[in-house]
Amino acid sequence: MAFAVSHGDLEAAFGAAHVTTIPPDRLNPAVTHPDSRRFLAEVGLPTADRFLYAPLECLTSGLPNAVDFDPGFGYLEVPPKTVEHWVGLGFCQAHRIFLDGATGIVWLLPDGESEAYVLNTRLDLFARCLCSVRRRWDVLAGPTDIDLRTTIVDELAATFAALDPAAINSPETTWRYWGLSDLADY
């Protein structure tokens, strides 16, 4: 499978010093999904400071099991069938992000909620979305007019919908509602 983003794409967006791969021998064995394992080892994830996505500090050591990352994880209303394969990836706007290591789906568990939502259907699509946000980050993170912010957030949401339609099934999608909405109101 060809990934939607390359290691070079991540380096171009975040800088070479801010892209981390996980050596296969350090990757949590709960991650059994072949494409996710290969993506983490070959392409990696961004580790930029003060960005929408805040990875775990232990990213290079292999990703913790979901319960080790979030002790409250066991309180989900409907625990996924693949719960033993879930690992922590970090945070998006202070909400916890998990990888289902059996399926490759990236999930977001909003702070204070007991239900997880699909953020992206594949890890490479998640990274591609992060690259899209990064390209507009200077405008979104700075003192920018609310109308311009709203326009950019709408454009990003449309890009994400085209990129990963299976993860976008309503106007109040996970990316728009939990990930991008705060950027429009910043």
Side-chain angles (χ1 to χ4, degrees), residues 64-75 83-84 86-88 98:
N65 293 328
V67 174
D68 293 335
F69 169 51
D70 178 14
F73 181 77
Y75 297 109
V83 68
E84 69 277 358
W86 281 41
V87 295
F98 298 88

Side-chain angles (χ1 to χ4, degrees), residues 30-34 36 81-87 99-105:
V31 181
T32 58
H33 186 254
S36 295
K81 293 178 183 178
T82 57
V83 68
E84 69 277 358
H85 291 278
W86 281 41
V87 295
L99 169 67
D100 180 333
T103 65
I105 296 172

Side-chain angles (χ1 to χ4, degrees), residues 7-64:
H7 186 82
D9 294 334
L10 288 175
E11 285 185 341
F14 294 93
H18 297 288
V19 179
T20 299
T21 58
I22 301 174
D25 61 324
R26 290 192 188 155
L27 185 56
N28 189 321
V31 181
T32 58
H33 186 254
D35 289 333
S36 295
R37 290 186 68 81
R38 190 168 67 90
F39 184 82
L40 289 166
E42 295 174 11
V43 179
L45 290 171
T47 57
D49 293 331
R50 290 177 281 218
F51 181 60
L52 174 81
Y53 167 65
L56 295 178
E57 290 179 10
C58 61
L59 191 63
T60 57
S61 62
L63 304 175

Side-chain angles (χ1 to χ4, degrees), residues 1-185:
M1 174 183 124
F3 294 125
V5 66
S6 69
H7 186 82
D9 294 334
L10 288 175
E11 285 185 341
F14 294 93
H18 297 288
V19 179
T20 299
T21 58
I22 301 174
D25 61 324
R26 290 192 188 155
L27 185 56
N28 189 321
V31 181
T32 58
H33 186 254
D35 289 333
S36 295
R37 290 186 68 81
R38 190 168 67 90
F39 184 82
L40 289 166
E42 295 174 11
V43 179
L45 290 171
T47 57
D49 293 331
R50 290 177 281 218
F51 181 60
L52 174 81
Y53 167 65
L56 295 178
E57 290 179 10
C58 61
L59 191 63
T60 57
S61 62
L63 304 175
N65 293 328
V67 174
D68 293 335
F69 169 51
D70 178 14
F73 181 77
Y75 297 109
L76 288 177
E77 284 181 20
V78 181
K81 293 178 183 178
T82 57
V83 68
E84 69 277 358
H85 291 278
W86 281 41
V87 295
L89 284 179
F91 301 88
C92 178
Q93 299 287 58
H95 307 294
R96 294 164 311 277
I97 301 174
F98 298 88
L99 169 67
D100 180 333
T103 65
I105 296 172
V106 178
W107 292 85
L108 182 133
L109 180 57
D111 193 38
E113 297 284 321
S114 60
E115 181 179 354
Y117 302 94
V118 173
L119 192 57
N120 286 106
T121 57
R122 297 187 338 229
L123 193 54
D124 64 317
L125 297 176
F126 170 66
R128 175 96 181 263
C129 289
L130 293 176
C131 282
S132 295
V133 172
R134 184 63 174 193
R135 285 186 202 101
R136 306 303 296 269
W137 190 246
D138 288 343
V139 175
L140 291 170
T144 306
D145 177 71
I146 188 73
D147 292 333
L148 178 56
R149 285 180 179 286
T150 301
T151 299
I152 292 171
V153 165
D154 289 345
E155 289 170 0
L156 287 169
T159 298
F160 297 171
L163 179 66
D164 196 1
I168 309 295
N169 59 9
S170 73
E172 295 299 322
T173 65
T174 304
W175 264 113
R176 179 181 285 285
Y177 189 72
W178 297 107
L180 298 174
S181 64
D182 288 346
L183 295 177
D185 300 333

